[in-house]
Amino acid sequence: MSARKRIFKEDILSAGIRVIQKHGAEALTVRNIAGELGCSTQPIYSEFRNLDALKEALLPYAKEKYLRFSSTNYKAFALAFLEFAKTQKELFKFLYLRKRADSRQILEDVNYASTVELLSRNLKMTEAQAKDMHRWMQYYCYTQGVMLATDYREPSLQELGEELTELFCIMLRHYKAVKSEEELAFWLDKARNLII
């Protein structure tokens, strides 16, 4: 009779995340994951052919577990991402401060479709305009995330929220061709559920 499997793929991926959180991505080895699980390396090699395959599986796993947000507030998406960078520094570095195979894809955003749809619907924009506007917000958030994860700056979430609102106003002026404070107030009112 064969022994029952007691360590599953999910257990291994979860242990890999814990190793990164505690010691950084450099410490991500099969031996360290096995140590985290309290087992030999055999169950890990039963699920993954090598460490590279395990790392490849860890990327989408971590994004789904830590970066999939459900919100109807655009600013909330950005703040959740920045809070992740601030509180999960090593995991953020693992996900975003690495060499990518496809340099055309700047940010792997698991919330991309929902955020673009949110902008398009609420701001009466074409999908192309919403994608372009969101791309600039991604650049800002990615840059801020890197600074937070590397301790370059230490703003509070309130300060980050104020910066996001200011950036949102700048982008509204551009993408809605706002020419007056009255027009800006109109679009801010229409977008209040996105940024409050």
Side-chain angles (χ1 to χ4, degrees), residues 79-80 82-83 86 148 155-162 164:
L79 278 174
L82 294 173
E83 185 172 18
K86 189 176 172 115
L148 292 167
S156 68
L157 287 177
Q158 180 180 339
E159 290 170 309
L160 289 169
E162 290 166 3
L164 286 165

Side-chain angles (χ1 to χ4, degrees), residues 54-104:
L54 195 154
K55 285 180 180 178
E56 194 174 305
L58 260 178
L59 291 169
Y61 176 81
K63 287 176 198 160
E64 283 298 320
K65 190 167 176 75
Y66 292 92
L67 293 172
R68 172 77 63 190
F69 310 118
S70 178
S71 180
T72 57
N73 184 297
Y74 188 58
K75 185 175 169 180
F77 280 113
L79 278 174
F81 178 81
L82 294 173
E83 185 172 18
F84 170 75
K86 189 176 172 115
T87 60
Q88 296 286 336
K89 295 177 186 212
E90 293 305 323
L91 200 48
F92 181 91
K93 291 174 195 175
F94 171 72
L95 292 173
Y96 294 106
L97 299 182
R98 63 183 164 74
K99 187 164 176 60
R100 289 173 178 75
D102 185 358
S103 62
R104 292 169 296 168

Side-chain angles (χ1 to χ4, degrees), residues 2-79:
S2 63
R4 280 190 13 202
K5 183 176 178 178
R6 65 177 190 90
I7 295 178
F8 297 90
K9 189 174 192 173
E10 173 92 14
D11 301 320
I12 297 165
L13 293 172
S14 184
I17 294 292
R18 290 192 304 275
V19 168
I20 293 169
Q21 289 170 321
K22 291 176 186 176
H23 309 290
E26 309 79 38
L28 191 63
T29 65
V30 173
R31 190 169 304 284
N32 286 345
I33 294 169
E36 186 69 30
L37 288 166
C39 69
S40 72
T41 60
Q42 189 277 327
I44 298 166
Y45 284 118
S46 292
E47 289 290 341
F48 299 97
R49 69 184 177 281
N50 57 34
L51 183 60
D52 287 338
L54 195 154
K55 285 180 180 178
E56 194 174 305
L58 260 178
L59 291 169
Y61 176 81
K63 287 176 198 160
E64 283 298 320
K65 190 167 176 75
Y66 292 92
L67 293 172
R68 172 77 63 190
F69 310 118
S70 178
S71 180
T72 57
N73 184 297
Y74 188 58
K75 185 175 169 180
F77 280 113
L79 278 174

Side-chain angles (χ1 to χ4, degrees), residues 168-189:
F168 188 80
C169 289
I170 292 167
M171 291 193 303
L172 265 181
R173 286 181 188 277
H174 174 75
Y175 286 97
K176 296 308 289 180
V178 170
K179 293 178 179 45
S180 69
E181 290 302 311
E182 292 78 24
E183 270 187 90
L184 180 61
F186 170 81
W187 283 109
L188 284 172
D189 185 55

